[in-house]
Amino acid sequence: MRPANKVYSALGTTIFTVMSALATEHGAINLGQGFPDDEGPDDVRAAAAKALLDGPNQYPPMMGLPALRQAVAAANKRFYGLDVDWQKEVMVTSGATEALHDCLMALLNPGDEAIIFEPAYDSYRPVIEAAGAKVVAVPLEPPHWSLPLDRLEAAFSDRTKLVLVNTPMNPIGKVFTRDELAAIAALMERHDAYAVCDEVYEHLVFSGHIHIPLMTLPGMRERCLRIGSAGKTFSLTGWKIGYVTGPAHLMEVVAKTHQFVTFTTAPGLQSAVAYGLGKDDDYFASLASSLEAKRDRLAKGLRQAGFDVLPADGTYFISADFRPLGFNGTDDEFCREITMKAKVAAIPLSAFYSSPDAPRHLARFCFCKQDAILDEASARLKAYAKAD
């Protein structure tokens, strides 16, 4: 029989599925997959319940409910000073992953090149390649995850169509600095390139760092598609509500992609997210501060177990070097071992690289869990380290 799509056929089972299954099999605490273990704000969920009962429950507009698009535009102005036309420059999607797909498929043609930064979220590469484009990976440099400007400049060419900028960055918690973003912007202008900006963790930034959308830099307003996520902003990952902000000439094409993927998104959930985006500043500040406290809690436990802990200035994730524990195998072997022996699951960081020279001594842990869960995971890892 004739083969199916070569890009997706070649994909294996995701590392998240593998490690989650292993965690279940061994009764391990799962600090691998990135989702909170609470149910999100009561008032936002109540708004969704009311909208579901009151209706409407039929197809909403393809671009999204006006209320949510207006709320996204208002949030852009409120947090970043961006003036956005909600009617032409905002679209709602069924999750940020759909938004990424829509943006990449709208911009890329066969033969184009797309720059990504590694370690990278695992959906980027297959979508780019399925569009017929080539991925050009620029690895960041641990332990501080600095951007190597010489390698970045070398990655750009006359075939570069776009750069995919994820800040705050999954899986490592890096927050790009203004200087780093300015360097990216200068190269984009020189090579007439676009940016797809994955900013789903925009409100989860710690330690005095600030989130700077690339779109706010000079010359970038017409070149950027900016993606946000209600799942991360309101700890409601199962709702799958994303949104894209961009210039009208790009959004027109992105919308044409969206119409043939999901077309539209649950209206009751859209209404609730519109309400949520209007919450006062205390909500957004407390979201960041509570997650920063969880980061610090897990980081302390990992250090006490003997790990070297790398910086994490945002997101749900922290990475740790396990070599001080005396383990001499790969990160995949280490994560499997602690899942089976310590009963704590993590993700090998090399899973987020395409290069064979990816670091093999780092594990990624998720800290957006209840304090008691983080404490128990830390205790188990300490006991594992002591036993070895």
Side-chain angles (χ1 to χ4, degrees), residues 221-237:
R221 178 67 173 80
E222 297 302 305
R223 293 184 179 274
C224 293
L225 293 167
R226 196 177 92 80
I227 296 170
S229 166
K232 303 304 188 294
T233 298
F234 302 108
S235 302
L236 294 165
T237 58

Side-chain angles (χ1 to χ4, degrees), residues 373-387:
I373 297 295
L374 298 177
D375 291 346
E376 177 61 23
S378 296
R380 293 183 185 188
L381 290 168
K382 290 175 201 173
Y384 162 81
K386 185 176 180 180

Side-chain angles (χ1 to χ4, degrees), residues 150-172:
D150 55 342
R151 296 189 69 164
L152 174 64
E153 185 171 3
F156 275 83
S157 75
D158 58 2
R159 295 179 298 279
T160 302
K161 176 63 76 67
L162 64 86
V163 56
L164 207 167
V165 181
N166 176 206
T167 183
M169 189 175 177
N170 175 12
I172 52 176

Side-chain angles (χ1 to χ4, degrees), residues 217-375:
L217 270 62
M220 291 295 103
R221 178 67 173 80
E222 297 302 305
R223 293 184 179 274
C224 293
L225 293 167
R226 196 177 92 80
I227 296 170
S229 166
K232 303 304 188 294
T233 298
F234 302 108
S235 302
L236 294 165
T237 58
W239 282 19
K240 299 298 291 180
I241 304 291
Y243 20 88
V244 186
T245 302
H249 70 280
L250 294 183
M251 290 304 301
E252 184 177 342
V253 186
V254 176
K256 291 176 181 177
T257 307
H258 167 67
Q259 71 179 335
F260 294 121
V261 178
T262 62
F263 181 73
T264 192
T265 299
L269 301 183
Q270 289 192 56
S271 294
V273 173
Y275 162 81
L277 286 174
K279 288 169 73 70
D280 61 28
D281 290 348
D282 288 346
Y283 168 77
F284 296 94
S286 64
L287 174 69
S289 62
S290 65
L291 282 165
E292 182 172 359
K294 291 179 182 295
R295 178 205 62 178
D296 293 345
R297 193 181 198 99
L298 182 58
K300 180 180 178 181
L302 291 171
R303 290 191 184 99
Q304 290 176 344
F307 292 86
D308 281 342
V309 178
L310 278 65
D313 299 319
T315 75
Y316 290 156
F317 309 110
I318 195 165
S319 299
D321 185 339
F322 54 77
R323 290 176 299 183
L325 277 65
F327 189 89
N328 296 317
T330 67
D331 55 347
D332 184 78
E333 292 166 343
F334 177 77
C335 289
R336 290 175 184 273
E337 172 155 319
I338 61 171
T339 301
M340 294 184 286
K341 292 186 177 181
K343 310 298 184 186
V344 177
I347 299 293
L349 202 69
S350 64
F352 299 93
Y353 286 81
S354 58
S355 170
D357 60 356
R360 302 272 175 184
H361 58 278
L362 300 172
R364 187 197 79 168
F365 296 87
C366 175
F367 55 77
C368 57
K369 307 295 181 182
Q370 296 175 27
D371 288 350
I373 297 295
L374 298 177
D375 291 346

